[in-house]
Amino acid sequence: MVPEHGSLAVYPGTFDPFTPGHLDLLARARVMFDQIIVLLAVNADKRPTAEATTRAVQVREALPSAWGNVEVDTWTGLTTAYCLRRGATVIVRGLRTAADFHHEYQLAAMNETLGIQTVWLPARPELAATSSTTARAYRAALSDRPPLNAEE
């Protein structure tokens, strides 16, 4: 797919943590648009494990240096307000399950009334089972596990 000239998309999320699924979706989306912004949402209700600025650094470090058309930013507030402020016309969202679609459809309908389109990309089957919630739980379990033997 050839990007529309001057197109700007926003890929929002808490990215706590930024998973291989997020990176894969971004890799596919970045060739669809001239520029894409990974927008770290500041949402206190989700109680992230790290501050937004720390998560933004982690996302930047996960991106290949050749991805010059990808920017990382943080924002407190509605994603559509950010899009309107930056001149973005598209929000990119990933779908892992049919349940995701129901929730995302409602958001997309609201965003469309504000003039922002949504593009959904399905997760690759081998990555669909991993969510940020699962990744956090796995990381916590590893940090809490007792040593296997006395020499560890």
Side-chain angles (χ1 to χ4, degrees):
M1 173 179 237
V2 177
E4 180 182 326
H5 180 67
S7 59
L8 173 60
V10 171
Y11 177 31
T14 52
F15 304 113
D16 183 33
F18 191 69
T19 68
H22 293 133
L23 185 64
D24 179 70
L25 188 135
L26 182 58
R28 292 185 284 144
R30 68 176 284 280
V31 299
M32 298 170 68
F33 304 97
D34 283 338
Q35 183 180 8
I36 189 161
I37 300 169
V38 179
L39 184 64
L40 281 93
V42 178
N43 183 346
D45 292 340
K46 290 203 172 188
R47 299 188 335 210
T49 59
E51 294 295 322
T53 52
T54 301
R55 287 181 283 133
V57 168
Q58 292 168 343
V59 171
R60 280 186 198 101
E61 289 174 349
L63 303 179
S65 60
W67 289 9
N69 68 330
V70 177
E71 176 184 338
V72 179
D73 202 358
T74 61
W75 179 256
T76 302
L78 293 175
T79 301
T80 51
Y82 180 88
C83 290
L84 294 169
R85 180 178 182 171
R86 291 293 305 265
T89 56
V90 175
I91 293 173
V92 174
R93 298 290 292 172
L95 296 174
R96 291 180 299 116
T97 66
D100 286 350
F101 178 76
H102 179 71
H103 173 73
E104 292 293 337
Y105 184 83
Q106 292 174 332
L107 292 175
M110 179 185 68
N111 293 339
E112 188 171 344
T113 64
L114 299 170
I116 307 296
Q117 297 295 309
T118 300
V119 170
W120 294 305
L121 293 176
R124 293 191 193 275
E126 63 272 19
L127 299 171
T130 303
S131 67
S132 289
T133 302
T134 303
R136 281 192 309 276
Y138 180 74
R139 186 172 52 197
L142 286 179
S143 67
D144 290 342
R145 82 176 169 93
L148 294 176
N149 61 48
E151 293 176 342
E152 269 192 50

